[in-house]
Amino acid sequence: MSLDDVIKVAKEVRKRAYSPYSHYYVGATLVCKNGHVYSGCNIENNGIMSICAERVAFTKAISEGERDFDYIVICGGSDLNSLEDCSPCGYCRQFMNEFVNEDFKIFLLDSNGKAKVYKMEDLLPYSFKM
């Protein structure tokens, strides 16, 4: 699957987001090194334990036995017909960091739909791992 195809999946899955409180819709597509693809959208609730799109994609993959991840594409915005600059929250950054290595790439779509690539260390410079 090409990067353009993965971007399309992320844009499409964000339409399934359940965000009645923030009205912010996020989609993420995680690509494993074996080529398998897992997508996720943010799912809010009336309590404090909503789950972000990135963690949905990762938990789906991990629950299927995946452990070798290549990259993720993330997009979001408050209008389903357009994008805004969107990056993972701190919790998602630390969560992803648990399962990836230094060459893991994070593609963030900007308001023009253009993908900019980051490494995990760019988004979480002082991370810790056990």
Side-chain angles (χ1 to χ4, degrees):
M1 184 176 266
S2 73
L3 177 59
D4 286 339
D5 291 334
V6 174
I7 289 171
K8 287 178 189 173
V9 172
K11 287 179 179 178
E12 194 61 34
V13 73
R14 77 182 280 257
K15 294 176 183 174
R16 297 185 205 137
Y18 179 73
S19 57
Y21 307 104
S22 72
H23 305 287
Y24 197 82
Y25 308 91
V26 181
T29 307
L30 176 63
V31 178
C32 301
K33 290 188 178 179
N34 63 12
H36 293 164
V37 176
Y38 298 87
S39 62
C41 60
N42 57 316
I43 304 167
E44 298 177 349
N45 64 42
N46 200 15
I48 60 170
M49 297 304 295
S50 297
I51 185 167
C52 301
E54 302 90 321
R55 286 182 283 134
V56 170
F58 266 91
T59 55
K60 286 168 67 175
I62 292 163
S63 70
E64 294 298 322
E66 303 286 359
R67 292 293 188 275
D68 295 318
F69 305 108
D70 194 15
Y71 67 93
I72 193 168
V73 172
I74 303 165
C75 64
S78 55
D79 179 352
L80 285 173
N81 297 312
S82 62
L83 296 172
E84 299 170 15
D85 292 351
C86 177
S87 68
C89 70
Y91 185 50
C92 285
R93 293 174 194 211
Q94 187 60 49
F95 184 93
M96 290 188 294
N97 191 59
E98 178 76 18
F99 299 100
V100 301
N101 57 32
E102 62 279 350
D103 63 345
F104 182 74
K105 296 175 289 296
I106 302 164
F107 290 88
L108 304 179
L109 301 187
D110 65 17
S111 58
N112 296 314
K114 183 177 179 184
K116 185 169 181 184
V117 65
Y118 297 88
K119 291 182 181 177
M120 179 53 70
E121 66 186 354
D122 297 328
L123 298 183
L124 193 63
Y126 301 105
S127 69
F128 57 90
K129 286 192 176 190
M130 298 293 222

